[in-house]
Structure formats: C-alpha cells, structure tokens
Amino acid sequence: MTDRGPKFRVCKFLKIIICSLLIITLVLFTIASVRTLSLDVNVGLQLAQWEKTNNLAPDINQRQREELLANFKEAIRIPTVSSTQTEFNTTALLEFHKLLRKAFPTVFSSSLVHHDLVADYSHLFWVRGSQPALLPYMLLAHIDVVPASESDGWEAPPFSAKEMDGFIYGRGTIDDKQSVMISGFKGAMNIVRVLKQRGVQLAFVLDEGLAVLDGVISGLEGPAALIGISEKGQATVKLSVSMVPSHSSMPPSESSIGILAAAVKRLEENPMPRLFGHGPERGTFEHLAHKFKLPMKFIMSNLWLFSPLLGRVMERRPDTNAFVRTTTAVTMFNAGVKVNIIPSLAESYVNLRIHSAQSLQEVLDLVQSTVGDQRVKMELVDGFDPLPVSSYDDKAFGFQIIKKTVLDLFPGVTVAPGICIGNTDSRHFKELTNDTYRFAPTWFKPGDAQRFHGINERISKKNYEELVVFYFNLIQNCDIQKLPDPHNSVHEL
C-alpha cells in the first residue's frame, strides 16, 4: 500500500478540523436556538398560588385625590435644598416636618405607629406587626433636593409645583418627594446608627433608584420596570503635578499643566476593561430577552455566547457604556493664576463609577498604571466598592413582592433586575440587610431621564396617584409569612 504523502495527510487533518468546527457550531446554534425559544425567566411566581389575594382596594375618591395632590404640591413648594452632603436648608426641613404632621395626622397620633425624630430632621416610623419574630422591611425616601434655578431654563419655577398639561413641575417630583419619607446623607447614617443600637436586622430595604421605562430601551416591546439590585461603586481621585514656578518668557520643556494634561489624556484614551456580562447587567438582559424581536432576542437570550459582541456595541454610546465598564470622567482641572506665570501646581479631579465585577483597589491600581508618570501624584479623595448584589430569584422575598405589586398595578409591564449607575442612601444599610432594592414606579419616557437633577423635573398627576396605590398595595402584599412555591420553569439551561 503506497503512502499518499504529507500533502494528503494535511488535507485530511484540515477536513477533520473543519468538520469538528462545523459540528461545534451546529451544537452551539442548536443550544442557543432552544434557549431563545424557551427562555422566559419571568414565569416564576406569576403563575403560583399566593397566600393572600384579598387586598383592600385603595378606592381613592375625588376629595382624597384632590387632597393628595394638594399635599404633594405643598411639599414641592418647600425648598429643601442640599447644596452638599453637609449643607442643607434647615428652615425648609423644619417646615416640611410641619407639613408631614398636617398631611398625615393619623400616622403621628396612631398607637400602631412609633415615630422617632432622628438627628433633628429625619423621621423614622415603625409599625409593629402581630408576629414580632418575623424580620421587618424598610421603605426609604429622601426629601432633600439638589439646587435649581428658573434661570437654568425651566418652563415653570422649580419650586412652584405648577400644573401644565397634566404634569406637576418642580424639583423633587421624581427625586424623591413622590415617595415622601425623609432620609439623606446625614439622615440615613443616623437612622442606621439608631437601628444598630436596637439590634435591628431587615428582611429587605426598598429605596429610590430605577423606574418604569417606556420606549427608552431601543427594540424592547412594551415598557419595562427595572428593580435595582445593586449600585456601581464610586471613587474620586485627585491628580496633581508640582514644579518650580517660572516666567512665561523662559518656559521649561514641560509644564505642570502639560504633564497633567498628558496624564488625563491617557486616562481618556485608555478606558477601563470591558466587563459586560460579568455583573448583574446579565440578569437584566436575560429577563428582557423574550420582549425583543430577532435577531436581538437570539443575542439577549444567549449572553453566555454573545456578551463580548454586545459589549462592543454598547460601549459606543455613553448611556450604555456605563453598563459595560467602570467609567472615567475628568470633572475638574485647575491651574494658573496669571497669564505670564507658569504655575507651580496643576490639579485635576477624576470621578470613576466602578463596575460590579471590579473593586475600588483594582480601579486605583489601573489608574496609577495608566497615568504611568511618577511626577503625577495620585490621591483618593473618597470612594467605595460596588454594592453587594441583592437576590432576585424565585426565593427572594423582597424582589418577588415588589415584582408582584408592579404586575398587579401594570399587567403589561416586563419586570427585570437592574443596576443603578448612580448611588442612593440605601448603601448605608448594607450591614442591616442582605437585600436592598432600588425602585419607584415612576414612568420615564425618552428624554425624561435628563430631567433627573436637570431642568423641568416633573411627574404626571396620574403617575403620582399610581405611586400612592403602589405603596398601599406593597405594604399589604408584604403581609404574608412566606412566598408561594414557584411555578416550574420550562427552561433550566
């Protein structure tokens, strides 16, 4: 038998490789197709038999509706502005305290409600249940607001609560007076201190954060309610360069400004690593996958395969790039006091929002290596790691109660876990609970996100009433011993 030679053996080897690749591709495509057709992680407890289904209906009549809106508008008109974490309008906070007592007299007089005034301006309300052995839950909101001026371009004065076209305009309408219970940096920290002293542990915490997005997510069929299960971490880094000052007529080859500018440019040109799919954002897209059309449905259902591809697409836009990586933003640059003097000191501040798959220290190490110049001093002004990821499976009491409440109120909405790229007061409560959720059923349409801390902040009268109903039902839905057994999922991949 003759040897057909090395050329034949190479061809045979290539055929084997090609056939193997085709088989692997076919297997992957089959798995991905099955997953695409069957993946619906939203079935869970929707089809289960809940312990309690006879909640009291809110039945808000016209007089109550007018009273609710009047109290809400009065809250908006009180300028509870916080300029910084330590500077706030104490007169306005005291005025708001009076409003709370006037608007909710039964809450303050009822023997069922225990009220604590914490650190002069924060309110802690405690309603004791019939079974004190069960863990309590906590609802958070803050009444302090960021500064606002009509000269910034508002269509209505920011503290007027003016009504236009069915909307109430004013600072605090969506951040966060619509939930009405005071908190804030000092308030949250002091409330945590009080609860720690009492040995309190919480089943879950619900704070502000994400919302109902209608037409915001491109390609998604119908609105989506995103419940925040984590927050990105944060770091503020100060970069500085010090040199001997000199006159502009005899400039050195490099100045403090030039050295620092080059360092800042390197940070902008070398973004943090792409980490899409390694954090809770994967759960978001898997929960929403069945509401997309092909080919996006195929891609969203199979992030185990397509995460790198989707990450490359998402990083092209600033709003979606925030979910792909730790973001780097140069927010301040200071140097120079006179046009003919080369300054001795140049400083810049860099704000980083840390992806859930990274730690604060890892990010600082990457900043240092990217700057790569010993003449640039790096100093951490403040920072913290990403917040722990709260549970959101079928056994997660808080998540499933919030989800049920949303679906009872808005049956056509898709509910999914999400991640907050900003930070909330709830981060201070992480030692009191394993599960913190960030959500209010405020509806956001395209462009509304820019109203948050921006101009023309507003909420519709209809949506404000929906918030009242949401919390009314949420409290009743929490009044069960345990979650029902989940409906069997048809998909286990």
Side-chain angles (χ1 to χ4, degrees):
M1 188 173 183
T2 59
D3 186 358
R4 298 187 184 181
K7 187 174 181 179
F8 172 78
R9 289 195 294 271
V10 170
C11 291
K12 185 177 181 180
F13 178 75
L14 288 174
K15 286 181 180 179
I16 293 173
I17 295 295
I18 293 171
C19 289
S20 299
L21 289 174
L22 288 173
I23 292 171
I24 292 171
T25 302
L26 180 61
V27 170
L28 290 175
F29 180 78
T30 302
I31 293 173
S33 298
V34 171
R35 186 177 175 87
T36 301
L37 294 172
S38 61
L39 180 63
D40 184 356
V41 294
N42 288 282
V43 175
L45 300 181
Q46 289 178 238
L47 303 179
Q49 296 298 313
W50 285 75
E51 178 182 325
K52 180 182 175 185
T53 57
N54 57 338
N55 285 355
L56 295 174
D59 291 333
I60 301 174
N61 60 39
Q62 186 59 31
R63 182 189 63 80
Q64 292 170 324
R65 181 175 291 110
E66 291 173 358
E67 186 177 334
L68 281 169
L69 289 173
N71 288 332
F72 180 57
K73 288 180 179 180
E74 190 171 348
I76 298 302
R77 294 187 185 109
I78 301 175
T80 52
V81 174
S82 292
S83 301
T84 68
Q85 289 183 339
T86 56
E87 296 179 11
F88 41 85
N89 188 337
T90 56
T91 302
L93 291 175
L94 291 173
E95 187 180 351
F96 194 88
H97 172 69
K98 294 177 182 177
L99 172 62
L100 284 179
R101 287 188 171 274
K102 184 184 79 169
F104 307 108
T106 306
V107 171
F108 286 89
S109 62
S110 173
S111 60
L112 295 175
V113 182
H114 179 77
H115 170 242
D116 288 313
L117 185 64
V118 180
D120 298 325
Y121 308 110
S122 298
H123 298 265
L124 176 62
F125 298 92
W126 185 290
V127 181
R128 187 173 295 276
S130 60
Q131 298 188 37
L134 298 175
L135 287 178
Y137 60 93
M138 191 167 195
L139 307 179
L140 285 180
H142 64 82
I143 63 155
D144 61 318
V145 298
V146 298
S149 172
E150 188 174 1
S151 62
D152 293 334
W154 283 72
E155 295 176 19
F159 296 102
S160 66
K162 185 176 180 179
E163 191 175 317
M164 296 190 299
D165 300 323
F167 287 87
I168 299 170
Y169 282 71
R171 178 64 85 222
T173 51
I174 60 175
D175 182 29
D176 180 38
K177 288 182 179 177
Q178 81 276 28
S179 299
V180 189
M181 196 282 274
I182 186 170
S183 185
F185 179 77
K186 280 185 173 286
M189 296 287 282
N190 282 294
I191 287 173
V192 169
R193 176 181 53 78
V194 170
L195 295 178
K196 279 185 175 180
Q197 290 172 351
R198 297 176 181 175
V200 173
Q201 287 293 306
L202 300 169
F204 71 91
V205 169
L206 176 60
D207 195 8
E208 63 165 331
L210 301 181
V212 181
L213 307 182
D214 187 11
V216 175
I217 303 175
S218 179
L220 182 72
E221 295 181 353
L226 300 186
I227 302 171
I229 56 172
S230 184
E231 299 175 16
K232 296 184 82 171
Q234 185 177 166
T236 299
V237 174
K238 176 183 174 183
L239 301 177
S240 61
V241 176
S242 297
M243 298 181 68
V244 176
S246 58
H247 197 273
S248 62
S249 62
M250 297 176 289
S253 59
E254 290 184 291
S255 67
S256 57
I257 294 176
I259 294 170
L260 185 58
V264 166
K265 186 65 173 174
R266 286 193 292 275
L267 285 175
E268 291 185 332
E269 290 179 341
N270 297 277
M272 292 286 170
R274 193 183 300 110
L275 294 170
F276 181 76
H278 295 277
E281 68 278 355
R282 178 168 179 169
T284 303
F285 286 92
E286 288 185 340
H287 275 70
L288 298 177
H290 67 293
K291 288 294 185 177
F292 284 90
K293 292 182 179 179
L294 295 172
M296 288 306 298
K297 180 177 181 179
F298 186 79
I299 294 172
M300 299 292 190
S301 300
N302 295 282
L303 292 183
W304 59 277
L305 187 59
F306 294 113
S307 284
L309 173 64
L310 192 57
R312 288 183 179 275
V313 173
M314 293 180 66
E315 69 181 358
R316 297 174 183 174
R317 288 174 44 184
D319 55 343
T320 51
N321 181 55
F323 298 96
V324 174
R325 58 167 47 85
T326 295
T327 54
T328 306
V330 182
T331 55
M332 297 175 67
F333 199 111
N334 303 312
V337 293
K338 199 173 180 182
V339 295
N340 62 345
I341 298 295
I342 297 175
S344 60
L345 178 65
E347 297 177 335
S348 69
Y349 288 83
V350 182
N351 186 254
L352 303 112
R353 300 302 174 107
I354 305 172
H355 190 276
S356 296
Q358 281 186 308
S359 68
L360 172 61
Q361 189 57 54
E362 287 171 342
V363 167
L364 295 178
D365 291 342
L366 282 169
V367 171
Q368 186 79 70
S369 63
T370 303
V371 167
D373 191 333
Q374 294 183 351
R375 295 172 297 179
V376 180
K377 179 184 176 183
M378 188 179 88
E379 175 188 346
L380 176 64
V381 178
D382 59 58
F384 50 88
D385 286 318
L387 277 295
V389 178
S390 300
S391 58
Y392 58 95
D393 59 15
D394 289 344
K395 298 179 181 178
F397 185 87
F399 185 88
Q400 294 300 337
I401 290 291
I402 298 166
K403 180 177 178 177
K404 172 178 169 54
T405 308
V406 170
L407 292 173
D408 287 347
L409 188 59
F410 308 119
V413 163
T414 303
V415 180
I419 182 166
C420 292
I421 58 176
N423 295 117
T424 69
D425 295 327
S426 64
R427 70 181 187 276
H428 303 299
F429 291 78
K430 64 181 181 180
E431 294 181 21
L432 302 182
T433 182
N434 292 324
D435 290 321
T436 298
Y437 303 103
R438 304 144 181 96
F439 173 78
T442 309
W443 282 66
F444 279 20
K445 292 183 178 293
D448 283 342
Q450 284 68 44
R451 301 177 190 273
F452 192 88
H453 287 195
I455 64 171
N456 295 322
E457 185 179 343
R458 68 182 189 179
I459 190 171
S460 71
K461 294 192 297 182
K462 177 177 179 290
N463 194 194
Y464 177 65
E465 186 173 319
E466 288 168 343
L467 263 85
V468 174
V469 174
F470 172 81
Y471 289 110
F472 184 87
N473 290 338
L474 178 76
I475 292 171
Q476 294 186 82
N477 287 337
C478 283
D479 190 22
I480 59 174
Q481 298 243 18
K482 63 183 183 67
L483 293 174
D485 294 328
H487 183 274
N488 288 333
S489 175
V490 297
H491 193 280
E492 300 297 336
L493 283 179

